[in-house]
Amino acid sequence: MRKYEFTGETQNIECTGKVITLHRIRAARDFMGVKKEELGGWIETEDNLSHSENAWVSGNARVFGDAQVSGNARVFGDAQVSGNAWVLGDAWVLGDAQVSGNAWVLGDARVSGDAQVSG
């Protein structure tokens, strides 16, 4: 069963000289503290956020490119996950943190504040 849907609301951002369209998500069912109809954050495609498990993107957080959020991971606040980055397990990316490139954030890791993780 799908856990989120696109709301129809979009925003365009510029990244490395190209414009990317992000889509706001909304929870399609209750799961792990997220209530049905709750607005989520912004993703480029459904490949960015798993429909299985309990991962969630909320607030003004953005996930795009080939980045993936899965497991019980959370990306929220004004955080950004991009490139080929993965956020998985019970990891959190929050605040103004940025995870990009080929970086992986996993386990019980927390990336917050103005932190930047790349690789």
Side-chain angles (χ1 to χ4, degrees), residues 52-75:
S52 61
E53 304 166 317
N54 294 306
W56 189 236
V57 177
S58 61
N60 289 316
R62 302 179 209 169
V63 180
F64 57 94
D66 291 325
Q68 295 180 26
V69 180
S70 63
N72 294 321
R74 301 291 170 136
V75 179

Side-chain angles (χ1 to χ4, degrees), residues 5-25:
E5 60 194 10
F6 292 121
T7 65
E9 186 179 355
T10 62
Q11 68 172 229
N12 292 325
I13 62 169
E14 187 175 330
C15 183
T16 61
K18 67 179 187 176
V19 175
I20 297 171
T21 300
L22 301 179
H23 306 271
R24 169 85 73 183
I25 58 173

Side-chain angles (χ1 to χ4, degrees), residues 30-90:
D30 292 348
F31 63 95
M32 191 88 159
V34 176
K35 299 295 182 195
K36 183 177 180 177
E37 301 295 322
E38 183 176 325
L39 283 179
W42 303 86
I43 64 175
E44 183 179 6
T45 72
E46 289 190 358
D47 292 334
N48 298 130
L49 178 61
S50 171
H51 275 285
S52 61
E53 304 166 317
N54 294 306
W56 189 236
V57 177
S58 61
N60 289 316
R62 302 179 209 169
V63 180
F64 57 94
D66 291 325
Q68 295 180 26
V69 180
S70 63
N72 294 321
R74 301 291 170 136
V75 179
F76 56 99
D78 292 315
Q80 181 170 291
V81 179
S82 62
N84 295 313
W86 285 15
V87 181
L88 55 142
D90 293 314

